[in-house]
Amino acid sequence: MQKPVAIPTNNLEAFWMPFSANRQFKKQPRMLVRAEGMNYWSHDGRKVLDGTSGLWCVNAGHGRPEIADAVHAQLLELDYAPAFQMGHPKVFELAARLAAVAPQGLDHVFFTNSGSESVETSLKIALAYHRVKGEGSRIRLIGRERGYHGVNFGGISVGGIVSNRKHFGALLAGVDHIRHTHDLARNAFVRGVPEHGAELADDLERLVTLHDASTIAAVIVEPVAGSTGVLIPPKGYLQRLREICDKHGILLIFDEVITGFGRLGTPFAADYFGVTPDIMTTAKGVTNGVVPMGAVFVKSDIYEAFMNGPEHLIEFFHGYTYSGNPVSSAAGLATLDIYQREGLLTRGVELGEYFADALHGLKGLPHVIDIRNIGLVGAVELEPIAGAPTKRAFSAFLECYERGVMIRTTGDIIALSPPLIIEKSDIDLLVGTLADVIKTLQ
Ligand SMILES: Cc1ncc(COP(=O)(O)O)c(C=O)c1O
């Protein structure tokens, strides 16, 4: 039992909380004060099962001493080293080790500090790549409806979630979107990868016809769309997208910020679906979420295309003060050690079936209109309350938290993405509590 921690309730105003209902929260704060393994502890002393790996990032579970020790030692040995024109050993070691676990061919790594920055970096690499190759007319970027690629201007431009876009002006020019793949009419309650919808990838041909391939630099998609509510690509869809990109010389970018590092039961979604992108963005799981870091993987021919001209010149005018900083690199190395030692990058295979059984057992409960699963990701889609979309799922979130389980909601979809160290008994508690809560929903 955690001792209750007094929270300064008269002092919550200054912090403008990201992606939060600030007023609701500040009236009824949900403070987390400690975490270990599969659990958080709240300020009022309750244990809260983490059904979402924090924000899809704490894949190896909370409070790992190996990562804490590595970070502590690194801070004392070399706290910071300039990222531009200088290096330190751990960032090179981490890049090589990450390239070794990445899908074959993705063997160069550019470091960032977040998923959003990884996305911006990937889009800039794509545009600059065509230019250094003498195809500077390829200036268009194609995203997908309902896509989430972080919150920076490139990411919200190629992203397809209206509330993340509508307040922010004209966004990037030269962006278009292919259709999303969510199809409840044909695919509701399917276990794993849905059967129907591979042909939706042909929507890219429509945009090629409209804009001409010679103007298109890249297509970016999440292999499994997460933040929009766990949309699993139909069988054959990603293969088809790959074929169309190859046919037209368009780069394919997979945004693996949530699917990377074992979420689907394979190291990356590219491994799960057997489709290798040209560029792959990651973040979150790189350091188990504990120190900000992102990593963008690129194929050799992309990296090599930049390596020309006089050797004293900078090849790619892009980077961040904290790209591959020593502390993040140390955290990344310690995290990879844990993933490899405990087999976490493939643990989702072992537990995925049990998780799927539990989740699909919710079929038939009130308001449930779809259930989706893949690896250790699941979603329960609820019928929205007429005239009050998102309210039903948000009530489920609040009630689950009251009962000691943390879930995440987006729109009226409940998403589950527990740490990969989860045990069957935790799955029972997670899904059992969710079932009880769904039964109480208005
Ligand atoms: C697919 C995808 N891309 C990018 C991001 C943005 O990551 P960050 O919040 O670290 O900027 C997210 C975050 O959830 C994501 O799911």
Side-chain angles (χ1 to χ4, degrees), residues 55-56 113-117 119 148-151 222 224 226-227 255-258 281 283-284:
L55 266 181
W56 310 77
N113 306 293
S114 66
S116 298
E117 287 182 359
V119 166
Y148 183 68
H149 301 292
V151 292
E222 302 155 86
V224 172
S227 299
D255 185 348
E256 294 231 23
V257 167
I258 61 155
T281 61
K284 299 196 188 253

Side-chain angles (χ1 to χ4, degrees), residues 19 49 93 244 305 321:
F19 274 123
L49 179 68
E93 187 188 345
I244 299 170
T321 298

